[in-house]
């Protein structure tokens, strides 16, 4: 918590001080009322004129209000500064973490840190400290005033508050044990909600009418159970605590003790009046402190999640002295191993070369590690052993900004940003001209489709530009064309396409991949049978390597996969040298 608040610590201290002093000054009129009553009833020395008391009370009220306003304004300014700083820090961190980091975390968890936890911290920085200061200031000045009048009745009046704090401590200890579980279950609801919304069409089509998505229902039930565990210890303790500091309870204790002391001759009846006015007024600040302590627990959990996010290891970037410049476009994998989060090994000792201007295809059964190899080349994460080079330069020695000018990609899961079609195509080259953007769209067989949109290239994705899966793939190809990188990675580029879109995509890729170093990940073997070399991956290792005909002749895993796919006609075409 201290680390999160360090940049605005001084401003929060000043804000809390202003709020505390302001609250103390706004309570002066209560003392003035008691003094006026005592003087009016003739039980006090007339040391101050009534008008002086009234004037001083009004002046203190106005000055106190001004100080409270200043404290709140300063706290909100500090909150705005912190929120701006944290949002920039989180975005900067997310831009530097390995892409593999996102695959192991649900969108709901990232959303909770960036949105929900930021909102929780707003309550802490903008309201918590000034509210605590106001409540504390009210308690301190009130108790000090009552002690100055009569310490005996003050101690008796404080007994209900002592009982309140005892029950409060018991309740906070019990609830604190379940706070982590409650936050975890809330994160599960966020993740389940994101999943449900993303698949609502499928859910409505395949789920019985009126029956909620099972994962979301389980998340809600889990949160309900955790919330019950969280609140159950609180009910009894907080019921007793609230009863003890109800204004009527405190007033009853003050009046009973005061009348007893009047009966004993220790004080006069009018001396009880300030206690009857001030002591019940302590109930509201203390109840506020209880609410704020609960908010503090939530804020601490939010701060911990944000710090965990900000402490996520970033993808290492080379220093200026460590940087290497690629000499050519040859790509080499040299004894590459990779294990997800250091545990489950998915790539084992893979070595191969992508020669400039050639097409290399990677095939194999599901789970063999094909997409992982593509991700390693794109440096979504780094190998745990071995190295990958581009033009004899280690990928880890090439700054990311330069690397992605050398390697373009069209992946199976494409995400477009909420911007115009023009901006999405020019994402890798924001300075591209309209003519260059349209030329890239032509190559991707997407220009005519874009012109059919309501505003053409100015149409915004998700608003007036509604594209199919195949059209999104073609738009991503246009993006890669415009980047004009010498190395290209294709991971199931036709996976989301129908027959028409697939034909357009294949035609675009046939034109675009000429004279480039290409790595293709494919499940359909007939789409890569003319590759210069085919690597057959099995269990994270290269089981076979060669051309299509060479691999068929070996009668190994590739031949088995080919026969399972029923590509007999394609085999005949390949033997005759015809295009597939």
């Amino acid at each position: 918590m201290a680390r999160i608040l360090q940049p605005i610590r001084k401003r929060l201290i000043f804000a809390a001080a202003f709020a505390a002093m302001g609250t103390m000054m706004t309570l002066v009129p209560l003392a003035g009322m008691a003094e006026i009553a005592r003087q009016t009833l003739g039980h006090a020395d007339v040391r101050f004129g009534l008008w002086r008391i009234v004037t001083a009370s009004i002046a203190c009220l106005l000055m106190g209000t001004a100080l409270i306003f200043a404290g709140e304004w300063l706290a909100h300014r500090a909150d705005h500064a912190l929120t701006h700083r944290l949002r920039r820090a989180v975005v900067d961190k997310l831009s530097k973490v390995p892409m593999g980091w996102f695959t192991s975390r649900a969108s709901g968890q990232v959303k909770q840190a960036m949105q929900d936890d930021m909102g929780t911290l707003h309550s802490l920085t903008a309201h918590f400290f000034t509210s605590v200061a106001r409540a504390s200031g009210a308690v301190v000045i009130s108790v000090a005033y009552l002690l100055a009048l009569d310490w005996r009745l003050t101690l008796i009046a404080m007994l209900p508050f002592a009982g309140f704090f005892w029950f409060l401590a018991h309740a906070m200890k019990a609830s604190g044990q379940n706070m982590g579980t409650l936050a975890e279950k809330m994160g599960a609801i966020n993740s389940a909600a994101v999943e449900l919304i993303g698949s609502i069409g499928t859910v409505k089509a395949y789920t019985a009418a009126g029956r909620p998505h099972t994962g979301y229902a389980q998340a809600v039930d889990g949160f309900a159970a955790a919330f019950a565990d969280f609140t159950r210890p609180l009910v009894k303790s907080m019921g007793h605590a609230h009863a003890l500091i109800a204004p009527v309870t405190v007033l009853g204790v003050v009046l009973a003790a005061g009348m007893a002391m009047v009966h004993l001759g220790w004080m006069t009846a009018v001396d009880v009046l300030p206690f009857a006015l001030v002591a019940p007024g302590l109930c509201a600040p203390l109840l506020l402190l209880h609410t704020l302590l609960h908010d503090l627990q939530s804020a601490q959990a939010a701060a911990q999640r944000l710090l965990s996010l900000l402490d996520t290891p970033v993808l290492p970037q080379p220093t200026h002295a460590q940087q290497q410049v690629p000499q050519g476009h040859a790509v080499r994998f040299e004894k590459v191993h990779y294990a997800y989060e250091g545990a489950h090994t998915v790539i084992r000792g893979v070595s191969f070369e992508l020669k400039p201007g050639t097409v290399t295809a990677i095939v194999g059964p599901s789970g063999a590690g094909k997409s992982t190899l593509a991700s390693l080349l794109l440096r979504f994460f780094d190998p745990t052993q071995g190295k990958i080079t581009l033009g004899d330069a280690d990928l880890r020695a090439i700054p990311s900004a330069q690397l992605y000018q050398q390697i373009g990609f069209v992946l199976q899961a494409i995400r477009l940003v909420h911007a115009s079609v023009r901006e999405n195509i020019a994402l890798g080259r924001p300075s591209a001209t309209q003519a260059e953007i349209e030329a890239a769209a032509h190559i991707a067989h997407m220009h005519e489709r874009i012109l059919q949109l309501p505003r053409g290239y100015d149409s915004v994705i998700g608003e007036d530009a509604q594209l199919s899966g195949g059209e999104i793939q073609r738009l991503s190809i246009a993006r890669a064309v415009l980047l004009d990188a010498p190395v290209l990675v294709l991971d199931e580029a036709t996976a989301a396409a129908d027959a028409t879109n697939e034909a357009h995509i294949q035609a675009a890729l046939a034109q675009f991949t000429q004279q480039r170093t290409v790595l293709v990940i494919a499940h359909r073997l007939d789409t890569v049978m003319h590759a210069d070399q085919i690597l057959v991956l099995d269990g994270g290792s290269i089981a076979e390597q060669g051309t299509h005909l060479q691999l068929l002749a070996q009668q190994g895993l590739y031949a088995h996969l080919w026969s399972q796919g029923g590509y007999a006609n394609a085999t005949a075409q390949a033997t005759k040298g015809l295009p597939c």
Side-chain angles (χ1 to χ4, degrees), residues 122-425:
H122 163 76
S123 299
L124 175 74
T125 54
H127 303 289
F128 176 80
F129 293 102
T130 52
S131 297
V132 168
R134 291 201 310 271
S136 302
V139 171
V140 168
I141 195 65
S142 298
V143 173
Y145 172 63
L146 296 179
L147 284 172
L149 294 177
D150 191 292
W151 64 271
R152 296 164 299 184
L153 186 54
T154 301
L155 292 180
I156 295 173
M158 292 299 108
L159 289 177
F161 300 106
F164 167 78
F165 280 112
W166 187 87
F167 282 112
L168 177 62
H170 180 73
M172 296 299 290
K173 180 180 179 181
S175 65
Q177 296 174 348
N178 297 311
M179 180 62 74
T181 303
L182 190 67
E184 178 184 342
K185 297 300 182 182
M186 177 57 75
I189 285 183
N190 284 331
S191 299
V194 171
E195 178 186 355
L196 176 62
I197 294 171
S199 59
I200 191 67
T202 304
V203 171
K204 292 181 71 174
Y206 290 96
T207 306
R211 179 184 173 187
H213 186 271
T214 303
Y216 183 74
Q218 290 175 346
V220 171
D221 292 341
F223 177 78
F227 187 76
D229 293 338
F230 173 76
T231 56
R232 193 176 295 113
L234 296 176
V235 175
K236 183 177 180 180
S237 296
M238 292 314 301
H240 291 156
H242 285 190
L244 279 174
I245 64 167
V248 65
T249 303
V250 177
L251 181 60
V253 171
V254 168
L255 292 178
M259 291 304 99
M261 295 177 70
V262 170
H263 180 73
L264 293 172
W266 293 355
M267 62 194 313
T268 63
V270 74
D271 291 331
V272 181
L273 179 61
F275 291 87
L277 286 174
V278 175
L282 293 175
C283 300
L286 287 176
L287 285 174
L288 176 62
L289 282 176
H290 160 242
T291 303
L292 293 173
L293 285 174
H294 178 269
D295 291 343
L296 179 61
Q297 285 186 318
S298 299
Q300 286 176 327
Q304 188 60 43
R305 287 190 293 270
L306 280 170
L307 285 175
S308 177
L309 179 60
L310 292 173
D311 289 337
T312 302
V314 301
L315 193 67
Q317 294 296 315
T319 64
H320 182 73
Q322 295 172 332
Q323 291 182 17
Q324 299 177 14
V325 178
Q327 304 297 321
H329 306 132
V331 176
R332 291 188 182 87
F333 281 65
E334 301 179 12
K335 299 180 180 179
V336 171
H337 295 255
Y338 180 73
Y340 282 111
E341 297 186 353
H344 177 57
T345 301
V346 292
I347 300 297
R348 297 176 174 85
V350 170
S351 298
F352 62 90
E353 180 180 2
L354 310 181
K355 295 182 179 180
T358 64
V359 176
T360 297
I362 298 181
V363 300
S366 297
K370 302 184 296 295
S371 294
T372 301
L373 275 182
S375 298
L376 286 169
L377 176 54
L378 295 171
R379 211 190 169 204
F380 285 176
F381 28 69
D382 287 330
T384 49
Q385 294 182 40
K387 68 177 182 178
I388 305 171
T389 63
L390 170 63
D392 294 326
D394 194 320
L395 294 189
R396 290 167 289 198
I398 305 174
S400 294
Q402 297 179 19
L403 177 64
Y404 294 125
Q405 294 297 316
Q406 299 289 321
I407 302 178
F409 53 88
V410 179
L411 303 181
Q412 181 175 349
I414 298 297
R415 293 292 182 268
L416 301 180
V417 298
H418 184 74
S420 69
V421 172
R422 175 188 295 105
E423 290 169 323
N424 270 275
I425 295 176

Side-chain angles (χ1 to χ4, degrees), residues 12 66 109 184 193 217 358 431 446 448 464 508:
L12 290 179
Q109 293 175 292
E184 178 184 342
T358 64
S431 60
M446 193 62 185
E448 289 74 15
D464 51 355

